[in-house]
Amino acid sequence: MILHRMSAAAAGVVLLAAMTAGCGNGNEVGGASGTDDGKITLGFSQVGAESGWRTANTKSIQESAASAGIDLKFADAQQKQENQIKAIRSYITQKVDVIAFSPVVETGWDAVLQEAKAANIPVILTDRAVDSQDKTLYKTFIGSDFVVEGQKAGEWLVKEYEGKTAPVNIVQLEGTTGSAPANDRKSGFEEKIKADPKFKIIASQTGKFTRADGKEVMEAFLKANPKIDVLYAHNDDMGLGAIEAIEAAGKKPGVDIKIITVDAVKDGMQALADGKINFIVECSPLLGPQLMELVKKVKAGETVEPRILTEETTFTQAQAKEALPNRKY
Ligand code: AHR
Protein backbone atom coordinates (compact mmCIF):
# COMPACT_ATOMS: atom_id res chain seq x y z
CA MET A 1 0.00 0.00 0.00
CA ILE A 2 1.23 3.48 -0.87
CA LEU A 3 0.45 4.78 2.61
CA HIS A 4 2.80 2.23 4.14
CA ARG A 5 5.76 3.84 2.40
CA MET A 6 4.92 7.38 3.58
CA SER A 7 5.97 9.05 6.79
CA ALA A 8 3.28 9.15 9.48
CA ALA A 9 2.87 12.92 8.97
CA ALA A 10 2.45 12.59 5.19
CA ALA A 11 0.01 9.73 5.65
CA GLY A 12 -1.99 11.90 8.06
CA VAL A 13 -2.22 14.67 5.46
CA VAL A 14 -3.41 12.17 2.83
CA LEU A 15 -5.99 10.75 5.20
CA LEU A 16 -7.32 14.19 6.11
CA ALA A 17 -7.45 15.16 2.44
CA ALA A 18 -9.47 12.03 1.71
CA MET A 19 -11.77 12.81 4.62
CA THR A 20 -12.52 16.33 3.43
CA ALA A 21 -12.75 15.69 -0.32
CA GLY A 22 -16.31 14.92 -1.48
CA CYS A 23 -15.67 11.83 -3.59
CA GLY A 24 -19.31 10.75 -3.68
CA ASN A 25 -18.51 7.08 -4.29
CA GLY A 26 -19.39 5.85 -0.83
CA ASN A 27 -15.78 4.92 -0.13
CA GLU A 28 -14.54 8.03 1.62
CA VAL A 29 -15.58 10.10 4.60
CA GLY A 30 -15.83 13.31 2.58
CA GLY A 31 -18.55 15.70 1.47
CA ALA A 32 -20.93 17.93 3.33
CA SER A 33 -23.74 16.38 5.37
CA GLY A 34 -26.60 15.24 3.16
CA THR A 35 -29.36 16.76 5.32
CA ASP A 36 -30.40 19.23 2.58
CA ASP A 37 -31.80 16.47 0.32
CA GLY A 38 -33.90 15.01 3.14
CA LYS A 39 -31.85 11.80 3.25
CA ILE A 40 -30.38 10.40 6.45
CA THR A 41 -26.59 10.70 6.42
CA LEU A 42 -24.63 7.89 8.09
CA GLY A 43 -20.91 8.19 8.78
CA PHE A 44 -19.36 4.73 9.02
CA SER A 45 -15.80 4.02 10.12
CA GLN A 46 -14.71 0.53 9.09
CA VAL A 47 -11.79 -1.35 10.68
CA GLY A 48 -10.01 -2.11 7.41
CA ALA A 49 -9.95 -4.79 4.73
CA GLU A 50 -7.99 -7.41 6.66
CA SER A 51 -10.11 -10.48 5.93
CA GLY A 52 -12.76 -12.08 3.74
CA TRP A 53 -15.19 -11.44 6.60
CA ARG A 54 -14.42 -7.72 6.54
CA THR A 55 -14.87 -7.49 2.75
CA ALA A 56 -18.29 -9.16 3.06
CA ASN A 57 -19.20 -6.85 5.95
CA THR A 58 -18.27 -3.72 3.97
CA LYS A 59 -20.31 -4.95 0.97
CA SER A 60 -23.30 -5.64 3.21
CA ILE A 61 -23.15 -2.14 4.71
CA GLN A 62 -22.68 -0.34 1.38
CA GLU A 63 -25.44 -2.29 -0.40
CA SER A 64 -27.89 -1.98 2.50
CA ALA A 65 -27.34 1.78 2.77
CA ALA A 66 -28.02 2.17 -0.97
CA SER A 67 -31.21 0.14 -0.85
CA ALA A 68 -32.42 1.90 2.34
CA GLY A 69 -31.88 5.30 0.68
CA ILE A 70 -29.30 6.29 3.30
CA ASP A 71 -26.43 8.57 2.29
CA LEU A 72 -23.33 6.63 3.42
CA LYS A 73 -20.01 8.27 4.16
CA PHE A 74 -17.54 5.40 4.49
CA ALA A 75 -13.91 5.38 5.70
CA ASP A 76 -11.45 2.46 5.87
CA ALA A 77 -9.17 2.89 8.92
CA GLN A 78 -6.55 0.39 7.78
CA GLN A 79 -6.63 -1.29 11.21
CA LYS A 80 -5.54 1.92 13.00
CA GLN A 81 -7.45 3.41 15.92
CA GLU A 82 -6.09 6.90 15.22
CA ASN A 83 -7.63 6.78 11.74
CA GLN A 84 -11.00 5.79 13.20
CA ILE A 85 -10.86 8.65 15.71
CA LYS A 86 -10.04 11.10 12.87
CA ALA A 87 -12.92 9.76 10.78
CA ILE A 88 -15.39 10.06 13.68
CA ARG A 89 -14.25 13.64 14.38
CA SER A 90 -14.69 14.45 10.70
CA TYR A 91 -18.26 13.05 10.78
CA ILE A 92 -18.98 15.23 13.82
CA THR A 93 -17.69 18.31 11.97
CA GLN A 94 -19.85 17.41 8.98
CA LYS A 95 -22.90 17.06 11.26
CA VAL A 96 -23.92 13.65 9.94
CA ASP A 97 -27.19 12.30 11.36
CA VAL A 98 -25.80 9.06 12.78
CA ILE A 99 -22.29 7.63 13.30
CA ALA A 100 -21.61 3.89 13.23
CA PHE A 101 -18.29 2.15 13.60
CA SER A 102 -16.60 -1.15 14.21
CA PRO A 103 -13.89 -0.39 16.80
CA VAL A 104 -10.51 -1.87 15.91
CA VAL A 105 -9.61 -2.22 19.62
CA GLU A 106 -11.78 -2.16 22.75
CA THR A 107 -10.23 0.67 24.77
CA GLY A 108 -9.60 4.39 24.26
CA TRP A 109 -12.92 5.60 22.82
CA ASP A 110 -14.49 7.65 25.62
CA ALA A 111 -13.14 11.08 24.58
CA VAL A 112 -14.29 10.94 20.95
CA LEU A 113 -17.63 9.38 21.90
CA GLN A 114 -18.16 12.21 24.42
CA GLU A 115 -17.62 14.64 21.54
CA ALA A 116 -20.28 12.89 19.43
CA LYS A 117 -22.67 12.92 22.38
CA ALA A 118 -22.05 16.64 22.99
CA ALA A 119 -22.84 17.26 19.30
CA ASN A 120 -26.09 15.26 19.69
CA ILE A 121 -25.07 12.68 17.10
CA PRO A 122 -26.19 9.16 18.03
CA VAL A 123 -23.57 6.41 17.76
CA ILE A 124 -24.14 2.74 16.90
CA LEU A 125 -21.45 0.12 17.52
CA THR A 126 -21.34 -2.61 14.90
CA ASP A 127 -19.51 -5.93 15.06
CA ARG A 128 -17.12 -5.06 17.93
CA ALA A 129 -17.62 -3.63 21.40
CA VAL A 130 -15.88 -0.81 23.24
CA ASP A 131 -14.68 -1.20 26.81
CA SER A 132 -16.34 1.83 28.40
CA GLN A 133 -18.12 2.25 31.74
CA ASP A 134 -20.40 4.92 30.23
CA LYS A 135 -23.14 3.07 28.35
CA THR A 136 -24.79 6.38 27.37
CA LEU A 137 -22.00 7.01 24.83
CA TYR A 138 -23.72 4.78 22.25
CA LYS A 139 -27.30 3.81 21.50
CA THR A 140 -26.82 0.14 20.74
CA PHE A 141 -24.30 -2.53 19.85
CA ILE A 142 -25.14 -4.97 17.05
CA GLY A 143 -22.94 -7.99 16.49
CA SER A 144 -21.86 -11.47 17.57
CA ASP A 145 -21.09 -12.80 21.03
CA PHE A 146 -17.39 -13.54 20.58
CA VAL A 147 -17.09 -15.28 23.96
CA VAL A 148 -19.74 -17.77 22.86
CA GLU A 149 -17.86 -18.28 19.58
CA GLY A 150 -14.70 -19.18 21.53
CA GLN A 151 -16.72 -21.48 23.79
CA LYS A 152 -18.15 -23.32 20.76
CA ALA A 153 -14.61 -23.88 19.46
CA GLY A 154 -13.51 -25.22 22.88
CA GLU A 155 -16.58 -27.47 23.22
CA TRP A 156 -15.86 -29.08 19.84
CA LEU A 157 -12.28 -29.79 20.88
CA VAL A 158 -13.30 -31.32 24.20
CA LYS A 159 -15.74 -33.67 22.41
CA GLU A 160 -13.21 -34.53 19.70
CA TYR A 161 -10.72 -35.78 22.31
CA GLU A 162 -13.27 -37.33 24.69
CA GLY A 163 -11.98 -40.52 26.36
CA LYS A 164 -8.36 -39.88 25.28
CA THR A 165 -5.63 -39.21 27.81
CA ALA A 166 -2.53 -38.31 25.76
CA PRO A 167 -1.47 -34.63 25.88
CA VAL A 168 -2.99 -32.43 23.16
CA ASN A 169 -0.61 -29.65 22.09
CA ILE A 170 -2.52 -26.61 20.86
CA VAL A 171 -1.25 -23.50 19.06
CA GLN A 172 -3.43 -20.42 18.88
CA LEU A 173 -3.44 -17.70 16.21
CA GLU A 174 -4.99 -14.68 17.90
CA GLY A 175 -6.77 -11.82 16.13
CA THR A 176 -5.70 -8.17 16.32
CA THR A 177 -4.20 -7.48 19.76
CA GLY A 178 -6.66 -5.61 21.98
CA SER A 179 -9.67 -6.24 19.73
CA ALA A 180 -12.89 -7.63 21.18
CA PRO A 181 -12.92 -10.77 18.98
CA ALA A 182 -9.31 -11.61 19.89
CA ASN A 183 -9.90 -11.08 23.63
CA ASP A 184 -13.22 -12.90 23.75
CA ARG A 185 -12.53 -15.81 21.39
CA LYS A 186 -9.40 -16.53 23.46
CA SER A 187 -11.16 -16.38 26.83
CA GLY A 188 -14.21 -18.38 25.67
CA PHE A 189 -12.01 -21.14 24.22
CA GLU A 190 -9.66 -21.32 27.20
CA GLU A 191 -12.60 -21.45 29.62
CA LYS A 192 -13.93 -24.60 27.93
CA ILE A 193 -10.65 -26.55 27.78
CA LYS A 194 -9.10 -25.55 31.13
CA ALA A 195 -10.78 -28.30 33.19
CA ASP A 196 -8.85 -31.02 31.36
CA PRO A 197 -5.05 -30.87 31.90
CA LYS A 198 -4.33 -32.85 28.73
CA PHE A 199 -5.07 -29.71 26.71
CA LYS A 200 -1.95 -27.55 26.60
CA ILE A 201 -1.71 -24.24 24.71
CA ILE A 202 1.98 -24.41 23.82
CA ALA A 203 2.10 -21.20 21.77
CA SER A 204 -0.27 -18.26 21.23
CA GLN A 205 0.46 -15.19 19.14
CA THR A 206 -1.35 -12.60 17.05
CA GLY A 207 -1.75 -13.15 13.31
CA LYS A 208 -3.64 -9.82 13.02
CA PHE A 209 -6.62 -11.53 11.35
CA THR A 210 -4.72 -11.67 8.02
CA ARG A 211 -3.75 -14.60 5.82
CA ALA A 212 -0.14 -13.38 5.43
CA ASP A 213 0.43 -13.03 9.17
CA GLY A 214 -1.32 -16.33 9.87
CA LYS A 215 1.12 -18.06 7.52
CA GLU A 216 4.19 -16.34 8.96
CA VAL A 217 3.30 -17.02 12.60
CA MET A 218 2.40 -20.66 11.84
CA GLU A 219 5.79 -21.12 10.15
CA ALA A 220 7.43 -19.96 13.37
CA PHE A 221 5.18 -22.21 15.49
CA LEU A 222 6.11 -25.21 13.33
CA LYS A 223 9.83 -24.48 13.60
CA ALA A 224 9.73 -24.09 17.37
CA ASN A 225 7.37 -26.97 18.19
CA PRO A 226 7.99 -30.48 16.82
CA LYS A 227 4.60 -31.79 18.00
CA ILE A 228 1.52 -29.68 17.26
CA ASP A 229 -1.83 -31.52 17.42
CA VAL A 230 -4.31 -28.66 17.06
CA LEU A 231 -4.43 -25.15 15.63
CA TYR A 232 -7.13 -22.77 16.86
CA ALA A 233 -7.22 -19.68 14.62
CA HIS A 234 -9.45 -16.74 15.55
CA ASN A 235 -10.54 -16.39 11.91
CA ASP A 236 -10.62 -18.30 8.62
CA ASP A 237 -8.03 -16.10 6.92
CA MET A 238 -5.32 -16.82 9.49
CA GLY A 239 -6.26 -20.51 9.33
CA LEU A 240 -5.94 -20.48 5.55
CA GLY A 241 -2.50 -18.84 5.76
CA ALA A 242 -1.48 -21.44 8.36
CA ILE A 243 -2.62 -24.26 6.05
CA GLU A 244 -0.07 -23.06 3.48
CA ALA A 245 2.66 -23.15 6.15
CA ILE A 246 1.60 -26.63 7.32
CA GLU A 247 1.62 -28.01 3.77
CA ALA A 248 5.00 -26.41 3.08
CA ALA A 249 6.31 -28.20 6.19
CA GLY A 250 5.21 -31.52 4.66
CA LYS A 251 2.25 -32.07 7.02
CA LYS A 252 -1.42 -32.67 6.23
CA PRO A 253 -3.74 -29.93 7.54
CA GLY A 254 -6.91 -31.39 9.07
CA VAL A 255 -5.18 -34.75 9.63
CA ASP A 256 -1.69 -34.28 11.13
CA ILE A 257 -2.82 -31.02 12.70
CA LYS A 258 -6.53 -30.51 13.44
CA ILE A 259 -7.76 -27.00 12.67
CA ILE A 260 -10.57 -24.96 14.20
CA THR A 261 -11.37 -21.49 12.83
CA VAL A 262 -14.05 -18.79 13.16
CA ASP A 263 -16.07 -16.94 10.46
CA ALA A 264 -17.26 -19.47 7.80
CA VAL A 265 -16.47 -17.32 4.75
CA LYS A 266 -16.51 -19.17 1.41
CA ASP A 267 -12.76 -19.91 1.28
CA GLY A 268 -12.84 -21.25 4.83
CA MET A 269 -15.90 -23.37 4.07
CA GLN A 270 -14.16 -24.76 0.97
CA ALA A 271 -11.12 -25.77 3.05
CA LEU A 272 -13.49 -27.36 5.58
CA ALA A 273 -15.30 -29.30 2.84
CA ASP A 274 -11.90 -30.35 1.45
CA GLY A 275 -10.90 -31.79 4.85
CA LYS A 276 -8.16 -29.23 5.55
CA ILE A 277 -10.10 -27.57 8.39
CA ASN A 278 -12.01 -29.68 10.93
CA PHE A 279 -14.56 -27.27 12.43
CA ILE A 280 -15.69 -23.68 11.84
CA VAL A 281 -17.65 -21.46 14.22
CA GLU A 282 -19.77 -19.05 12.20
CA CYS A 283 -19.54 -15.27 12.65
CA SER A 284 -21.95 -13.47 10.34
CA PRO A 285 -20.74 -10.31 8.55
CA LEU A 286 -24.17 -9.53 7.08
CA LEU A 287 -24.97 -6.72 9.51
CA GLY A 288 -26.00 -4.11 6.90
CA PRO A 289 -29.81 -4.54 6.75
CA GLN A 290 -30.25 -4.52 10.56
CA LEU A 291 -27.86 -1.59 10.90
CA MET A 292 -29.86 0.53 8.45
CA GLU A 293 -33.09 -0.24 10.37
CA LEU A 294 -31.38 0.91 13.56
CA VAL A 295 -30.05 4.05 11.89
CA LYS A 296 -33.60 5.02 10.86
CA LYS A 297 -34.92 4.31 14.36
CA VAL A 298 -32.29 6.28 16.27
CA LYS A 299 -32.60 9.18 13.82
CA ALA A 300 -36.37 9.16 14.50
CA GLY A 301 -35.64 9.27 18.25
CA GLU A 302 -37.09 5.79 18.86
CA THR A 303 -35.74 3.64 21.68
CA VAL A 304 -33.71 0.63 20.54
CA GLU A 305 -32.48 -2.46 22.38
CA PRO A 306 -29.02 -1.75 23.85
CA ARG A 307 -27.61 -5.10 22.60
CA ILE A 308 -28.63 -6.87 19.39
CA LEU A 309 -27.11 -10.31 18.96
CA THR A 310 -26.35 -11.84 15.57
CA GLU A 311 -27.67 -15.36 14.96
CA GLU A 312 -25.02 -17.87 13.94
CA THR A 313 -24.22 -21.57 13.84
CA THR A 314 -21.24 -23.96 13.51
CA PHE A 315 -20.08 -26.20 10.64
CA THR A 316 -18.55 -29.66 10.48
CA GLN A 317 -16.95 -30.93 7.26
CA ALA A 318 -20.18 -32.65 6.15
CA GLN A 319 -22.26 -29.55 6.92
CA ALA A 320 -19.84 -27.36 4.94
CA LYS A 321 -20.27 -29.55 1.84
CA GLU A 322 -24.01 -29.10 2.10
CA ALA A 323 -23.92 -25.35 2.77
CA LEU A 324 -21.25 -24.34 0.24
CA PRO A 325 -23.38 -24.11 -2.93
CA ASN A 326 -25.62 -21.48 -1.28
CA ARG A 327 -22.92 -19.59 0.64
CA LYS A 328 -23.21 -15.89 -0.28
CA TYR A 329 -19.81 -14.64 0.91
O1 AHR B 1 -14.71 -8.53 14.20
C1 AHR B 1 -14.95 -9.64 13.40
C2 AHR B 1 -13.65 -10.25 12.98
O2 AHR B 1 -12.86 -9.31 12.31
C3 AHR B 1 -13.75 -11.41 12.02
O3 AHR B 1 -13.91 -12.64 12.64
C4 AHR B 1 -12.40 -11.34 11.37
O4 AHR B 1 -12.28 -12.13 10.23
C5 AHR B 1 -12.33 -9.88 11.14
O5 AHR B 1 -11.20 -9.40 10.66
Side-chain angles (χ1 to χ4, degrees):
M1 296 290 285
I2 296 169
L3 278 178
H4 289 169
R5 281 185 237 122
M6 294 178 181
S7 68
V13 171
V14 170
L15 179 80
L16 277 174
M19 292 198 305
T20 47
C23 298
N25 62 1
N27 283 320
E28 306 293 348
V29 181
S33 170
T35 45
D36 46 353
D37 63 4
K39 274 186 162 184
I40 297 175
T41 305
L42 168 66
F44 187 88
S45 169
Q46 181 60 288
V47 168
E50 72 282 4
S51 63
W53 189 100
R54 191 62 56 194
T55 306
N57 180 247
T58 291
K59 190 165 175 265
S60 170
I61 285 159
Q62 291 177 334
E63 288 178 354
S64 309
S67 51
I70 289 173
D71 180 13
L72 177 69
K73 296 181 180 301
F74 182 92
D76 175 337
Q78 299 176 4
Q79 295 241 58
K80 290 198 177 84
Q81 183 174 36
E82 76 239 39
N83 289 349
Q84 288 202 295
I85 291 174
K86 274 182 199 155
I88 293 168
R89 290 212 165 109
S90 164
Y91 294 142
I92 296 170
T93 308
Q94 292 174 61
K95 299 187 168 54
V96 300
D97 296 304
V98 181
I99 292 172
F101 77 115
S102 178
V104 61
V105 291
E106 285 194 278
T107 55
W109 297 103
D110 280 37
V112 72
L113 292 182
Q114 289 285 4
E115 290 166 34
K117 192 179 171 187
N120 270 322
I121 301 176
V123 172
I124 298 175
L125 302 179
T126 78
D127 163 36
R128 298 183 181 180
V130 296
D131 185 2
S132 172
Q133 296 304 313
D134 186 353
K135 305 294 174 212
T136 69
L137 294 178
Y138 53 91
K139 296 286 175 196
T140 182
F141 164 35
I142 172 177
S144 312
D145 186 329
F146 299 131
V147 177
V148 170
E149 290 175 350
Q151 289 170 341
K152 287 177 183 171
E155 277 162 9
W156 181 85
L157 191 65
V158 168
K159 270 214 183 101
E160 184 68 9
Y161 284 89
E162 211 164 25
K164 297 184 179 147
T165 51
V168 180
N169 286 350
I170 304 164
V171 294
Q172 179 169 229
L173 281 169
E174 300 175 23
T176 307
T177 305
S179 70
N183 293 341
D184 295 352
R185 286 173 187 166
K186 186 175 195 286
S187 66
F189 178 75
E190 292 177 3
E191 178 199 319
K192 286 291 166 184
I193 63 165
K194 73 171 180 227
D196 189 337
K198 73 171 176 265
F199 294 116
K200 293 184 196 334
I201 299 182
I202 55 168
S204 189
Q205 202 178 307
T206 183
K208 301 176 191 159
F209 281 130
T210 72
R211 219 175 268 217
D213 286 286
K215 183 178 178 194
E216 204 180 303
V217 177
M218 190 68 200
E219 281 165 357
F221 283 168
L222 285 160
K223 271 190 197 132
N225 304 284
K227 184 183 175 285
I228 298 173
D229 302 300
V230 174
L231 161 66
Y232 169 44
H234 289 183
N235 79 346
D236 288 345
D237 281 83
M238 292 189 295
L240 291 164
I243 286 172
E244 290 176 33
I246 293 167
E247 286 176 335
K251 292 184 193 264
K252 259 189 127 182
V255 179
D256 297 328
I257 298 178
K258 292 193 178 164
I259 302 179
I260 311 165
T261 64
V262 184
D263 276 356
V265 295
K266 243 189 195 151
D267 289 356
M269 292 286 272
Q270 188 61 61
L272 182 61
D274 293 344
K276 295 185 178 190
I277 294 179
N278 303 77
F279 187 67
I280 299 185
V281 178
E282 186 185 39
C283 177
S284 175
L286 306 180
L287 305 178
Q290 268 179 302
L291 173 62
M292 298 312 147
E293 284 307 308
L294 289 166
V295 166
K296 287 180 184 172
K297 284 186 177 164
V298 297
K299 167 68 180 147
E302 290 176 35
T303 310
V304 293
E305 289 294 320
R307 177 73 170 105
I308 296 158
L309 267 179
T310 315
E311 277 177 33
E312 34 212 19
T313 184
T314 57
F315 294 96
T316 60
Q317 292 174 339
Q319 288 165 332
K321 281 186 193 144
E322 218 175 290
L324 252 177
N326 302 317
R327 202 73 187 156
K328 290 198 176 61
Y329 53 90

XYZ file of all heavy atoms in Angstrom, residues 255-292:
281
model
N -5.471 -33.345 9.272
C -5.180 -34.747 9.634
C -4.028 -34.771 10.644
O -4.211 -35.146 11.803
C -4.828 -35.575 8.372
C -4.498 -37.024 8.771
C -5.967 -35.533 7.361
N -2.838 -34.329 10.206
C -1.693 -34.280 11.131
C -1.922 -33.199 12.200
O -1.520 -33.356 13.353
C -0.397 -33.957 10.372
C -0.053 -35.043 9.366
O -0.380 -36.210 9.641
O 0.519 -34.717 8.312
N -2.491 -32.105 11.755
C -2.823 -31.017 12.703
C -4.304 -30.687 12.499
O -4.726 -30.320 11.393
C -1.955 -29.759 12.438
C -0.474 -30.092 12.655
C -2.402 -28.595 13.334
C 0.493 -28.936 12.384
N -5.104 -30.848 13.537
C -6.532 -30.507 13.435
C -6.686 -28.995 13.526
O -5.964 -28.338 14.292
C -7.321 -31.201 14.542
C -7.327 -32.695 14.320
C -8.303 -33.430 15.164
C -8.204 -34.901 14.778
N -8.791 -35.789 15.729
N -7.633 -28.465 12.746
C -7.756 -26.999 12.674
C -9.189 -26.555 12.965
O -10.145 -27.058 12.375
C -7.305 -26.490 11.288
C -5.844 -26.912 11.019
C -7.445 -24.962 11.197
C -5.296 -26.494 9.668
N -9.277 -25.593 13.873
C -10.566 -24.959 14.196
C -10.427 -23.481 13.841
O -9.426 -22.852 14.215
C -10.899 -25.046 15.708
C -10.727 -26.472 16.231
C -12.288 -24.513 16.007
C -10.686 -26.543 17.757
N -11.414 -22.918 13.137
C -11.369 -21.485 12.830
C -12.724 -20.850 13.138
O -13.681 -21.548 13.493
C -10.999 -21.213 11.353
O -12.027 -21.745 10.519
C -9.672 -21.840 10.960
N -12.795 -19.531 12.951
C -14.050 -18.792 13.165
C -14.324 -17.950 11.914
O -13.387 -17.419 11.313
C -13.924 -17.842 14.391
C -15.252 -17.138 14.677
C -13.451 -18.587 15.631
N -15.545 -17.808 11.536
C -16.072 -16.944 10.463
C -17.011 -17.711 9.529
O -18.143 -17.333 9.350
C -14.995 -16.272 9.599
C -14.454 -14.975 10.217
O -14.977 -14.563 11.267
O -13.512 -14.393 9.665
N -16.468 -18.739 8.822
C -17.256 -19.465 7.802
C -17.466 -18.631 6.540
O -18.569 -18.588 6.000
C -18.579 -19.971 8.364
N -16.413 -17.950 6.083
C -16.468 -17.321 4.749
C -16.239 -18.429 3.714
O -15.789 -19.530 4.062
C -15.422 -16.186 4.579
C -15.716 -15.030 5.518
C -14.001 -16.688 4.802
N -16.547 -18.125 2.454
C -16.509 -19.174 1.414
C -15.181 -19.944 1.357
O -15.180 -21.175 1.294
C -16.775 -18.543 0.045
C -18.029 -19.070 -0.564
C -18.170 -18.621 -1.988
C -19.612 -18.889 -2.395
N -20.125 -18.014 -3.397
N -14.055 -19.225 1.374
C -12.756 -19.908 1.281
C -12.528 -20.843 2.469
O -11.957 -21.932 2.331
C -11.598 -18.893 1.248
C -11.535 -18.136 -0.070
O -12.347 -18.453 -0.981
O -10.692 -17.231 -0.184
N -12.969 -20.404 3.640
C -12.843 -21.246 4.833
C -13.728 -22.470 4.698
O -13.300 -23.602 4.988
N -14.956 -22.255 4.241
C -15.901 -23.371 4.074
C -15.389 -24.367 3.033
O -15.573 -25.572 3.172
C -17.264 -22.825 3.662
C -17.929 -22.025 4.768
S -18.555 -23.069 6.075
C -20.169 -23.412 5.407
N -14.717 -23.866 1.986
C -14.163 -24.758 0.967
C -13.072 -25.639 1.589
O -13.029 -26.841 1.366
C -13.589 -23.924 -0.199
C -13.154 -24.751 -1.399
C -14.318 -25.543 -2.017
O -15.293 -24.972 -2.471
N -14.199 -26.884 -2.011
N -12.194 -24.997 2.393
C -11.123 -25.765 3.048
C -11.702 -26.786 4.024
O -11.166 -27.892 4.177
C -10.163 -24.812 3.773
N -12.815 -26.423 4.660
C -13.487 -27.357 5.583
C -14.062 -28.536 4.787
O -13.871 -29.701 5.157
C -14.589 -26.602 6.344
C -15.397 -27.355 7.399
C -14.524 -27.870 8.533
C -16.495 -26.444 7.994
N -14.732 -28.230 3.680
C -15.304 -29.295 2.837
C -14.200 -30.183 2.258
O -14.393 -31.381 2.075
C -16.118 -28.657 1.707
N -13.032 -29.588 2.000
C -11.896 -30.351 1.449
C -11.137 -31.143 2.515
O -10.129 -31.794 2.220
C -10.893 -29.398 0.767
C -11.476 -28.740 -0.480
O -12.502 -29.236 -0.986
O -10.909 -27.727 -0.936
N -11.538 -31.026 3.772
C -10.903 -31.788 4.845
C -9.652 -31.144 5.424
O -8.954 -31.751 6.237
N -9.378 -29.881 5.040
C -8.160 -29.227 5.553
C -8.416 -28.475 6.859
O -7.489 -28.126 7.590
C -7.610 -28.253 4.503
C -7.141 -28.968 3.240
C -6.490 -28.026 2.259
C -5.998 -28.800 1.052
N -5.150 -28.007 0.177
N -9.681 -28.133 7.097
C -10.103 -27.571 8.390
C -11.076 -28.591 8.970
O -11.759 -29.308 8.227
C -10.771 -26.178 8.203
C -9.752 -25.152 7.681
C -11.405 -25.676 9.497
C -10.308 -23.748 7.440
N -11.154 -28.678 10.300
C -12.014 -29.684 10.927
C -13.325 -29.125 11.451
O -14.320 -29.847 11.535
C -11.264 -30.373 12.069
C -9.985 -30.992 11.571
O -8.995 -30.303 11.341
N -9.993 -32.298 11.344
N -13.330 -27.840 11.831
C -14.556 -27.267 12.428
C -14.502 -25.753 12.299
O -13.444 -25.152 12.521
C -14.614 -27.658 13.910
C -15.892 -27.296 14.621
C -17.101 -27.900 14.291
C -15.892 -26.354 15.644
C -18.276 -27.579 14.951
C -17.061 -26.027 16.324
C -18.255 -26.647 15.974
N -15.637 -25.156 11.908
C -15.693 -23.683 11.843
C -16.877 -23.175 12.655
O -17.995 -23.673 12.544
C -15.811 -23.159 10.389
C -14.600 -23.588 9.547
C -15.914 -21.632 10.381
C -14.571 -23.012 8.128
N -16.601 -22.164 13.473
C -17.646 -21.465 14.216
C -18.048 -20.264 13.368
O -17.198 -19.450 12.995
C -17.112 -20.993 15.594
C -18.185 -20.232 16.347
C -16.597 -22.177 16.413
N -19.333 -20.152 13.076
C -19.769 -19.053 12.202
C -19.788 -17.716 12.936
O -20.145 -17.630 14.112
C -21.176 -19.350 11.677
C -21.632 -18.337 10.649
C -23.069 -18.554 10.197
O -23.927 -18.897 11.041
O -23.342 -18.385 9.002
N -19.393 -16.659 12.182
C -19.545 -15.273 12.647
C -20.106 -14.526 11.437
O -19.434 -14.424 10.417
C -18.186 -14.706 13.065
S -18.266 -12.973 13.580
N -21.322 -14.046 11.545
C -21.949 -13.467 10.342
C -21.533 -12.014 10.114
O -21.655 -11.171 10.997
C -23.469 -13.529 10.452
O -24.013 -12.853 9.338
N -21.089 -11.699 8.872
C -20.735 -10.310 8.552
C -21.908 -9.519 7.984
O -21.784 -8.326 7.712
C -19.657 -10.491 7.470
C -20.021 -11.774 6.776
C -20.753 -12.630 7.770
N -23.056 -10.171 7.798
C -24.167 -9.526 7.079
C -24.992 -8.639 8.019
O -26.164 -8.902 8.291
C -25.039 -10.597 6.402
C -24.261 -11.565 5.492
C -25.188 -12.588 4.861
C -23.484 -10.800 4.407
N -24.337 -7.593 8.512
C -24.967 -6.721 9.507
C -25.683 -5.526 8.876
O -26.381 -4.776 9.571
C -23.903 -6.200 10.489
C -23.059 -7.262 11.209
C -22.024 -6.610 12.111
C -23.948 -8.172 12.045
N -25.492 -5.321 7.561
C -26.001 -4.107 6.905
C -27.494 -3.856 7.061
O -27.888 -2.771 7.526
N -28.366 -4.826 6.698
C -29.805 -4.540 6.750
C -30.281 -4.127 8.157
O -31.000 -3.141 8.301
C -30.440 -5.868 6.312
C -29.387 -6.525 5.468
C -28.084 -6.136 6.085
N -29.841 -4.874 9.190
C -30.254 -4.521 10.557
C -29.699 -3.164 10.975
O -30.367 -2.391 11.652
C -29.752 -5.582 11.533
C -30.747 -6.695 11.801
C -30.147 -7.712 12.756
O -29.103 -8.291 12.473
N -30.796 -7.907 13.883
N -28.464 -2.887 10.544
C -27.856 -1.592 10.900
C -28.681 -0.446 10.322
O -28.940 0.545 11.018
C -26.397 -1.533 10.402
C -25.714 -0.174 10.555
C -25.618 0.241 12.031
C -24.315 -0.172 9.938
N -29.104 -0.577 9.066
C -29.859 0.529 8.452
C -31.201 0.743 9.156
O -31.652 1.870 9.328
C -30.056 0.279 6.947
C -28.752 0.200 6.180
S -27.571 1.551 6.549
C -25.990 0.687 6.369
